[in-house]
Each structure stands twice: as C-alpha cells, then as structure tokens.
Amino acid sequence: MHAVAPESFAYRPIGHFRTPHKAIAGMPIQPIGALGVSGSIVLLPGFAQGLQDLDGFSHVIVLYHLHQVRGHSLMVTPFLDTQAHGIFATRSPSRPNPIGLSVLRLAGVSGCCVHVENVDVLDNTPVLDIKPYVPDFDRWDADRIGWFAGKSGQAVQHRSDTRFADAPLAEEDLPVA
C-alpha cells in the first residue's frame, strides 16, 4: 500500500534574513555574485538552542521562502540565458513551491543571530531551515551542467531584475469562477 502525499504543506519560518538587498532589481543572482556581502539570519528566540555547535562549520545551507515571488511558470527565461527552459532545469525563483537555497559562508553565531557572507537574498526573507555544509556529503564533481555550460561564470557580475516578481499565475493558481 502506498501513502498518498498531502495536497499542501504548512511551514513556519524559524527566522528572517537581514541583508543589504532591499529591492529585487539589482540583487546578485547567486552567492558567487555576492562575494563579501554580509548579512545575518535572526532566529526567533525559541530556536536559539538549535544553533549550538553550528559555529564549528565554515558554510551553511539555508532554505528560505521566496516571499516576493508571485505565481510561477513551468517555462522561464532565466537570468543567464535568452531562451526559455523548464523551471526545474533552472535556478529561477518563479517555482511551483517558491523555496530558495543558498550555500553561505558562516561568519559566526551570537545569541539568536547567524552571521553569514556572500548573501544573495532579499532583506526580511523568511528562513525555513539552516543545515551545515559538509563537503563529503554536499560536493559532487559534475560531468555535465546542461544549458549552464559556458554561462554559469556570468553569475559573478549578473544582477536580478523584476521579471519573476511579476510572474503570471499558473492555471492551477487562478481563482475558480
């Protein structure tokens, strides 16, 4: 017998990002384009104990809710290309579940605050989870990178625009008449 997945999930934030990025337009599109940009994750007080021992790591994986993205598209023209690609073949934020992921340098932990560097995240973005980055688990040598080949290096200087903040609602998100 197979379990049936629920139609939806509810997550609540464990905290929020504090970053210098106050607007979507002009933000870095990946941490590699935000080298040296500092920020922090301010956890809700009830989660502070969960930070114990995190300061022993150099990097963290942060999962967050892309709270300024409206709607989603299954085909998108990503920042680093002029052709449309399937959403699951991109890092574009206009996703069916607007979840972001960044691997950030951990600068320190103090109280409820996680200090991070190379921040490519909008200020006040809700944080869903923080995990330690462990190279033996999280790094893989890739033998192909699809349409990103020859383009991924452009993320260093490329900046965001507002194309995904105004994504059309997908058919399943439209109100029923």
Side-chain angles (χ1 to χ4, degrees):
M1 189 163 125
H2 298 282
V4 176
E7 290 294 316
S8 65
F9 299 93
Y11 292 103
R12 52 178 228 259
I14 61 170
H16 291 81
F17 270 100
R18 299 302 303 158
T19 79
H21 308 299
K22 307 300 183 200
I24 293 172
M27 284 180 40
I29 62 167
Q30 293 293 323
I32 193 70
L35 292 179
V37 176
S38 296
S40 60
I41 299 166
V42 180
L43 291 188
L44 298 170
F47 295 105
Q49 186 178 13
L51 296 174
Q52 184 174 331
D53 303 319
L54 186 64
D55 58 357
F57 296 88
S58 67
H59 290 79
V60 290
I61 300 168
V62 185
L63 298 170
Y64 46 92
H65 175 67
L66 299 165
H67 67 296
Q68 293 296 315
V69 174
R70 303 289 179 256
H72 70 273
S73 301
L74 295 179
M75 295 296 295
V76 296
T77 302
F79 295 123
L80 296 178
D81 204 2
T82 57
Q83 289 187 292
H85 299 277
I87 189 66
F88 303 123
T90 75
R91 298 284 187 102
S92 299
S94 182
R95 314 186 76 75
N97 291 306
I99 297 171
L101 177 150
S102 291
V103 177
L104 304 175
R105 178 146 190 86
L106 179 61
V109 176
S110 59
C112 292
C113 194
V114 178
H115 303 281
V116 289
E117 296 175 352
N118 309 331
V119 178
D120 64 331
V121 182
L122 188 65
D123 188 49
N124 212 35
T125 294
V127 175
L128 301 175
D129 201 3
I130 302 169
K131 299 174 184 286
Y133 175 85
V134 180
D136 288 342
F137 305 160
D138 301 317
R139 187 188 66 219
W140 298 90
D141 292 331
D143 56 356
R144 61 186 190 282
I145 60 169
W147 68 267
F148 278 105
K151 295 179 170 121
S152 60
Q154 297 170 17
V156 171
Q157 71 270 359
H158 200 91
R159 294 297 178 254
S160 176
D161 55 34
T162 59
R163 76 182 81 180
F164 299 115
D166 302 320
L169 289 175
E171 187 173 319
E172 63 270 19
D173 294 332
L174 294 174
V176 178

